[in-house]
Amino acid sequence: MSAVRVRMAPSPTGYFHVGSARTALFNWLFARQQGGQFVLRIEDTDLARNRADATAGIERAMTWLGLDWDEGPYFQSERAQLYEAAIGRLLSKGLLYACDCTSQQVAERNQAAGRPPGYDGFCRERGLEPSPGRALRFRTPHQGRTSWADVVRGEVSYDNASIEDFAVRKSNGQALFILANVVDDADMGITHVIRGEDHVPNTPKHILLWDALGLGPHPVFAHLPLLVNAARKKLSKRRDKVALEDYRDEGYLPEAMFNYLALLGWSPGGDREILSREQLVSEFRLDQVKSSPAFFDEQKLAALNAEYLRALSPSDFTARASEWLASRWSPIAPFVQERARTLSEVYSMVDFLFLPEVRTDPAEWAKVRRQHPAFVALLEAASAGYEQCEWEPASIRQATQEAGAAVGVSALAKAQAPVRLAVTGRTVGPPLFESLHLLGRSRALARLAAARERALREDAASAASPPA
Ligand code: GLU
């Protein structure tokens, strides 16, 4: 048996999903345990995004978790020639055909025939010449089955008749994920493909291409179980906190996260839950991973994190906490430095970043309300602007200016005061737009809403009992 080679093959999405983190971790554990190699490959065939941007987040997240890779990152966007060569081989074997159907035509034909979505083979016998503007499709065999022994799910088998003639190259000439993934796994000598179960339906296509290209025995497949929330629904960005970066920013320890992710689909047996990296490397068993969905339990993660915090020595605890506290406000540190006379004043300038709700000085509140008759209207206009604008200091500045203008407060400085009071609880402090940026859009909006409600309550109360 050749040495184990596994890979993490994320498509850049702008954040690192906890499910991707679990996939990366299981690959890493398996590689380290088997004395194998762990390759990082960025599957960016599909994206016109800036490469550096898209990958920096992935690399930062993996590094934070301590998942070091032995090779890469490789970029699919730099490997187009390899995919073209594979397409040339398939074409010469007569295994591809050109197709000029639009997705709308395909959808209409399927609908008219009462068929499920998916390409219906319309161009199969038309004999179109491959040319720009035409996609290339794989001639899926209509007979037989495609099967594999999945390490997690056991024997999985698809009737080939149920697999559509899938495209391997888009009409714009770009190779598609399905082909690039196979070509790369073969080229990189990947022995085990360990990935999320959402890829199960792609696997028969991968195997068909693998065989059509004559690449020899295909890798071993292990499809890891879906992560679900408390309602047993697939984790979604809209409903659930799924970005690993959010947990990092909230002060979860990477070693606790590492430990917790290892328990999503696998268990060391008994009721043991706290395991060190070394223990996980030696005890993890890929073939004991369960196929049933794994509950991503934020409560349990928090409890485990608490155990890790308590296990730190007092000096380590202080060091880790100080580091985290500093990371929360350090982006505005230069502004605070310009304004503070003593170190103790630093705290009162940045406490709004840490407090769940702002603490407002009653005298300052009363003063700002007196000086700003348009207080409520201004906060409303600012909220509306902040919901739309890009969350960058310059755009926040412009939205504030526009909100002021909309309610007849044209001086930016005057428009700032109510906003500053609402989000920081004070009338002075570091520059407002940098502060808002650092605080984050959702916290800023919540505080503006709270201040608006407080003002409306006060107005209602004073209208009910006018001063004598
Ligand atoms: N690029 C794919 C994804 O992000 C992963 C494919 C694979 O692991 O084979 O879902």
Side-chain angles (χ1 to χ4, degrees):
M1 170 99 193
S2 56
V4 160
R5 281 176 63 82
V6 294
R7 83 304 194 269
M8 176 65 195
S11 308
T13 53
Y15 68 99
F16 204 59
H17 194 289
V18 288
S20 300
R22 193 270 314 260
T23 299
L25 174 67
F26 280 25
N27 274 285
W28 184 91
L29 285 173
F30 188 64
R32 293 294 167 258
Q33 169 178 89
Q34 303 288 320
Q37 303 267 295
F38 179 41
V39 177
L40 177 59
R41 175 171 90 219
I42 309 295
E43 304 217 316
D44 57 351
T45 48
D46 218 27
L47 286 156
R49 297 179 55 155
N50 175 309
R51 192 186 89 177
D53 261 16
T55 17
I58 294 171
E59 293 188 42
R60 219 179 302 123
M62 286 182 50
T63 304
W64 180 72
L65 272 181
L67 304 179
D68 54 331
W69 52 97
D70 305 299
E71 270 178 45
Y74 296 109
F75 295 93
Q76 288 193 328
S77 54
E78 290 176 353
R79 298 166 59 83
Q81 279 182 338
L82 225 62
Y83 312 140
E84 248 340 275
I87 286 169
R89 267 162 45 221
L90 292 172
L91 269 175
S92 69
K93 291 184 182 182
L95 293 174
L96 302 181
Y97 63 88
C99 168
D100 62 359
C101 300
T102 64
S103 37
Q104 196 187 346
Q105 288 168 332
V106 176
E108 281 167 8
R109 284 199 305 265
N110 282 331
Q111 202 176 18
R115 269 190 308 258
Y119 183 70
D120 58 356
F122 182 78
C123 291
R124 207 175 230 256
E125 311 307 336
R126 281 173 72 203
L128 294 176
E129 280 300 311
S131 73
R134 288 176 181 167
L136 288 176
R137 292 185 183 275
F138 182 67
R139 226 175 254 284
T140 300
H142 284 164
Q143 284 88 37
R145 304 186 68 85
T146 299
S147 314
W148 73 96
D150 197 285
V151 178
V152 176
R153 316 174 69 78
E155 180 80 4
V156 185
S157 181
Y158 278 79
D159 184 347
N160 288 342
S162 72
I163 303 170
E164 82 278 11
D165 286 356
F166 54 91
V168 296
R169 191 170 81 185
K170 287 201 232 178
S171 54
N172 68 5
Q174 199 172 53
L176 277 152
F177 153 75
I178 212 100
L179 178 100
N181 187 271
V182 166
V183 169
D184 281 346
D185 281 345
D187 185 64
M188 296 175 186
I190 299 303
T191 57
H192 295 71
V193 169
I194 304 170
R195 61 184 172 193
E197 106 174 0
D198 45 328
H199 285 291
V200 167
N202 289 328
T203 303
K205 299 176 186 174
H206 285 154
I207 294 174
L208 287 170
L209 281 178
W210 192 279
D211 293 344
L213 285 163
L215 297 172
H218 60 71
V220 172
F221 291 98
H223 287 96
L224 307 178
L226 200 66
L227 301 189
V228 294
N229 64 16
R232 302 273 139 190
K233 294 250 167 60
K234 183 179 169 171
L235 287 191
S236 96
K237 187 174 171 14
R238 222 170 12 87
R239 268 193 309 258
D240 309 297
K241 189 158 66 185
V242 297
L244 190 72
E245 296 86 336
D246 288 345
Y247 291 92
R248 180 197 61 201
D249 293 349
E250 283 180 20
Y252 283 82
L253 300 180
E255 57 269 40
M257 186 54 105
F258 185 103
N259 188 158
Y260 183 66
L261 291 172
L263 305 175
L264 295 174
W266 175 79
S267 146
D271 50 13
R272 290 164 63 224
E273 289 193 324
I274 306 256
L275 288 95
S276 68
R277 283 166 81 85
E278 294 69 30
Q279 284 172 319
L280 286 167
V281 167
S282 82
E283 294 191 32
F284 175 75
R285 292 287 173 273
L286 188 61
D287 58 10
Q288 284 171 4
V289 172
K290 291 180 282 292
S291 61
S292 49
F295 174 25
F296 186 85
D297 184 349
E298 286 184 40
Q299 307 289 333
K300 189 164 162 187
L301 168 61
L304 195 79
N305 198 59
E307 295 224 28
Y308 271 84
L309 282 178
R310 283 194 288 274
L312 295 172
S313 70
S315 66
D316 277 349
F317 174 71
T318 311
R320 301 283 292 264
S322 308
E323 197 186 311
W324 183 83
L325 288 168
S327 73
R328 304 300 289 172
W329 71 278
S330 59
I332 56 168
F335 304 109
V336 174
Q337 190 178 8
E338 278 171 26
R339 289 163 172 76
R341 289 169 306 174
T342 63
L343 290 176
S344 67
E345 280 183 358
V346 171
Y347 180 67
S348 63
M349 290 189 189
V350 301
D351 64 350
F352 71 96
L353 290 168
F354 298 98
L355 297 168
E357 281 167 28
V358 284
R359 238 185 263 142
T360 312
D361 179 72
E364 297 204 346
W365 171 270
K367 190 173 97 196
V368 172
R369 290 236 44 206
R370 237 184 358 260
Q371 291 174 348
H372 295 272
F375 187 86
V376 170
L378 179 70
L379 294 191
E380 258 164 30
S383 300
Y386 295 165
E387 268 170 29
Q388 306 290 331
C389 75
E390 219 184 303
W391 205 248
E392 287 299 327
S395 319
I396 299 171
R397 179 180 204 278
Q398 196 188 334
T400 311
Q401 176 110 55
E402 287 168 6
V407 300
V409 180
S410 52
L412 183 61
K414 280 208 94 180
Q416 284 193 50
V419 174
R420 182 190 294 282
L421 181 75
V423 296
T424 72
R426 299 173 203 281
T427 50
V428 289
L432 179 63
F433 311 121
E434 276 76 9
S435 300
L436 283 165
H437 174 231
L438 196 55
L439 185 66
R441 191 197 309 261
S442 59
R443 284 203 290 167
L445 289 173
R447 288 178 188 191
L448 289 168
R452 218 167 55 221
E453 277 158 29
R454 175 173 169 185
L456 288 171
R457 264 198 318 274
E458 284 176 359
D459 292 348
S462 68
S465 56

